[in-house]
Amino acid sequence: MRVANLNSHNNTTVKKIVNNGGKNMEHIVKILPNQVKDMSLAPLGRHKIDIAEKEMPGLMSLRKQHTGTKPLKGFRLTGSLHMTKETAILIETLKDLGADVRWASCNIFSTQDEAAAAIAETGTPVYAWKGETLEEYWDCTLQALTFDGNLGPNLLVDDGGDATLLIHKGYELENHFNEHGDYPEITTTNPEELVIEKLIRKVHKLNGNHWHNIVPDIIGVSEETTTGVARLVQMEQDNELLFAAFNVNDSATKSKFDNLYGCRESLVDGIKRATEVMMAGKTVVVCGYGDVGKGCAQSMKSYGCKVIVTEIDPICALQAAMEGYEVRTLESVLGKGHLFVTTTGNKDIITLEDIRKMRDQAIVCNIGHFDNEIQVDALNDSDAKREQIKPQYDRYTFPDGKQIFLLAEGRLVNLGCATGHASFVMSTSFANQVLAQLFLAKEKPEVKLYNLPKELDEEVARLHLEHLDADLTILTKDQADYIGVDPKGPFKKDEYRY
């Protein structure tokens, strides 16, 4: 079994490691040891981490297997991924494998402050707390990307692609300035995009070649989620990808487990912690029926809800219909739904005008990676009066008296209003992340997009079976020959979809 056999999508040049740090680089940030909410939470965080380790057999197995050889020793690694107790175990695994790690969260509401404090207490630089502003969030990302000596990372673990985006946006700005002698006009009105544009200009004024200095050091990134992978695919198609990228999301042991089974349990956890509402009998509209939407629909159905699905893809729509769900357009059910959940990874799924047409006391939430699935900015700028019931639980009252509840300000409801997916299912995702990092560090591959080979995907699954007291049937040599596979696998072709 060789990690080097990873599948790729393109052919370009081999990435070389160059050390570009040193005297000619202006410091772009004041290096801080950490930024967390409350260090006194560290003991609680350590208790939770210790308990969660027992629920993450795949990740702990890889730690035990590789800790003696330290295959990541000498590599600087930046993480931009929800700072939870499960992520803490990923961080400590990467450290045990030798990496020099710096970390930020990938969402302003998803950090578990006790987990962040526990990691900071070990001396690992972590920059994350629940309730960051957008400016603080991107400053934290920049801190995580900046090592002593003003060096950048060699390796990236990304979730949603924000760390990757910041590097590419900064690099693009430097190219524009070097060619034209000034900055491009800022045309966006999106608040978060404005923060990014201001930040990369601030960095440029401190060091006009910062991103060009650090990019040659970057071997590659492993990307956790659907939206981040979509960004990488677009970059590759546009020939703009600056370093190798590993598609963790499309591994079966990620998308078919984290996205489906994780959401099946964590969606309702977030909704009920925020609202304490009874689910049984309610009409729930699930926008999207991919792996995330499937898990959400199953969850709502199990609580006795009447589930309606909206879909653009005829295959997914047919799947939903054959599972017994109503398949309708959103416009036709705005007045029926008690709860609306967006799961698509697209933008403007629920508009301000849609919200105006919903029934009184409807609950609106999102479980896709970014907050633009719901037009939250338009809602905040509208004639509706906003009241915070408690953090990440807001009530909007329109002039006619109608009230709508919005969870987690339109960001990930399962992480904003609860603690995200359970540890066991995150073990499958994060085992893939470790395998991707080992591949990148060992092979220093060409600049293109890679997928996990089937044999490693199966190995990740195999590592988790014993924990669930599951016994695997073994093919005889004669049976394996009959269907044309090795008795040890892989058992399916790459195009098999599970």
Side-chain angles (χ1 to χ4, degrees):
M1 187 184 303
R2 294 185 63 236
V3 182
N5 286 336
L6 291 170
N7 303 315
S8 62
H9 296 277
N10 198 6
N11 288 309
T12 51
T13 56
V14 175
K15 170 68 76 173
K16 303 292 186 182
I17 297 183
V18 184
N19 188 345
N20 284 295
K23 60 184 179 181
N24 295 324
M25 297 180 69
E26 291 289 335
H27 286 277
I28 60 163
V29 295
K30 179 182 178 182
I31 301 291
L32 301 173
N34 61 70
Q35 288 179 286
V36 299
K37 180 159 287 186
D38 185 354
M39 285 299 296
S40 70
L41 296 173
L44 173 61
R46 182 52 57 186
H47 284 314
K48 291 187 175 183
I49 291 167
D50 289 345
I51 293 168
E53 283 183 353
K54 306 299 184 183
E55 276 284 293
M56 302 189 81
L59 191 57
M60 297 304 292
S61 176
L62 289 173
R63 183 190 296 189
K64 182 178 179 180
Q65 180 181 347
H66 294 287
T67 190
T69 59
K70 306 294 183 190
L72 298 181
K73 184 176 182 179
F75 292 92
R76 302 183 301 275
L77 189 153
T78 291
S80 171
L81 194 151
H82 307 289
M83 187 55 250
T84 63
K85 62 184 181 296
E86 292 80 20
T87 299
I89 297 168
L90 172 62
I91 291 170
E92 295 192 331
T93 298
L94 295 168
K95 287 177 61 181
D96 278 0
L97 271 55
D100 177 9
V101 176
R102 297 173 71 82
W103 211 270
S105 186
C106 64
N107 186 290
I108 61 175
F109 294 136
S110 65
T111 295
Q112 296 169 13
D113 289 316
E114 64 274 16
I119 290 300
E121 191 176 57
T122 68
T124 301
V126 56
Y127 309 93
W129 61 94
K130 191 178 186 72
E132 299 162 1
T133 65
L134 290 175
E135 289 80 7
E136 290 168 340
Y137 170 81
W138 286 100
D139 284 344
C140 286
T141 303
L142 185 60
Q143 277 279 351
L145 285 167
T146 310
F147 289 74
D148 289 340
N150 216 35
L151 294 169
N154 306 125
L155 300 168
L156 293 163
V157 173
D158 217 348
D159 187 348
D162 280 352
T164 303
L165 175 71
L166 188 60
I167 295 166
H168 281 76
K169 293 287 286 185
Y171 193 94
E172 180 184 9
L173 181 79
E174 290 173 356
N175 281 341
H176 186 281
F177 191 90
N178 291 338
E179 182 177 350
H180 300 285
D182 59 9
Y183 297 132
E185 180 184 359
I186 298 176
T187 58
T188 183
T189 58
N190 179 280
E192 187 158 14
E193 291 176 357
L194 286 170
V195 170
I196 298 168
E197 293 292 343
K198 291 176 182 178
L199 180 59
I200 59 176
R201 283 160 174 77
K202 177 182 175 182
V203 170
H204 187 266
K205 289 173 182 176
L206 293 171
N207 186 326
N209 208 41
H210 171 71
W211 303 105
H212 278 70
N213 281 332
I214 73 167
V215 162
D217 278 0
I218 302 175
I219 300 168
V221 59
S222 54
E223 171 55 50
E224 176 78 3
T225 201
T226 309
T227 308
V229 169
R231 282 180 171 178
L232 292 171
V233 169
Q234 189 64 55
M235 287 179 185
E236 186 182 47
Q237 289 175 348
D238 295 342
N239 201 29
E240 295 175 351
L241 191 60
L242 296 174
F243 38 78
F246 193 109
N247 176 0
V248 167
N249 179 75
D250 288 343
S251 300
T253 45
K254 196 280 180 182
S255 60
K256 299 298 179 181
F257 290 82
D258 175 314
N259 296 20
L260 196 155
Y261 301 118
C263 292
R264 191 168 72 180
E265 297 193 13
S266 67
L267 170 66
V268 75
D269 188 20
I271 292 168
K272 291 185 75 68
R273 287 200 202 197
T275 68
E276 302 173 21
V277 71
M278 182 78 176
M279 302 303 300
K282 298 292 198 303
T283 297
V284 178
V285 180
V286 177
C287 299
Y289 199 69
D291 289 324
V292 172
K294 288 178 173 69
C296 293
Q298 288 178 19
S299 176
M300 296 295 96
K301 186 176 182 179
S302 73
Y303 274 81
C305 299
K306 297 184 286 288
V307 179
I308 300 172
V309 169
T310 72
E311 247 303 338
I312 61 166
D313 185 325
I315 296 174
C316 293
L318 183 60
Q319 286 180 315
M322 294 185 71
E323 287 290 343
Y325 302 118
E326 282 191 59
V327 181
R328 301 282 182 251
T329 63
L330 179 63
E331 293 76 15
S332 69
V333 296
L334 289 170
K336 293 179 64 174
H338 296 92
L339 171 68
F340 295 81
V341 185
T342 57
T343 75
T344 70
N346 207 334
K347 68 174 185 174
D348 300 331
I349 303 304
I350 295 179
T351 67
L352 174 60
E353 292 310 308
D354 293 333
I355 293 172
R356 290 185 186 277
K357 296 173 184 176
M358 291 177 182
R359 68 161 68 209
D360 185 39
Q361 303 284 297
I363 299 167
V364 182
C365 64
N366 167 54
I367 200 169
H369 188 81
F370 290 116
D371 64 340
N372 58 356
E373 298 207 30
I374 303 165
Q375 288 187 345
V376 178
D377 292 334
L379 178 60
N380 287 332
D381 292 338
S382 74
D383 55 359
K385 177 185 176 183
R386 178 184 177 185
E387 302 170 271
Q388 185 181 86
I389 307 303
K390 60 183 178 180
Q392 287 83 63
Y393 183 30
D394 294 311
R395 177 172 59 196
Y396 290 82
T397 304
F398 288 91
D400 63 0
K402 180 190 293 184
Q403 295 181 333
I404 301 294
F405 295 97
L406 178 67
L407 307 187
E409 298 184 20
R411 294 178 182 269
L412 286 160
V413 64
N414 57 336
L415 280 150
C417 297
T419 58
H421 294 342
S423 300
F424 182 78
V425 80
M426 293 311 302
S427 179
T428 62
S429 290
F430 288 171
N432 283 304
Q433 284 284 5
V434 171
L435 291 171
Q437 291 296 312
L438 292 175
F439 163 70
L440 290 168
K442 179 180 179 181
E443 303 297 335
K444 302 175 184 61
E446 297 175 355
V447 181
K448 49 190 174 185
L449 186 57
Y450 295 84
N451 289 324
L452 191 76
K454 189 68 69 176
E455 58 263 37
L456 290 185
D457 218 351
E458 290 180 359
E459 183 60 25
V460 169
R462 188 176 284 108
L463 291 171
H464 293 83
L465 290 174
E466 182 180 355
H467 191 76
L468 299 182
D469 194 27
D471 296 325
L472 199 62
T473 299
I474 306 299
L475 287 173
T476 67
K477 178 68 165 56
D478 188 47
Q479 289 173 321
D481 289 344
Y482 184 73
I483 60 173
V485 300
D486 188 293
K488 297 180 180 179
F491 299 99
K492 302 289 191 296
K493 296 180 179 179
D494 287 339
E495 56 268 26
Y496 187 79
R497 295 170 184 162
Y498 294 93

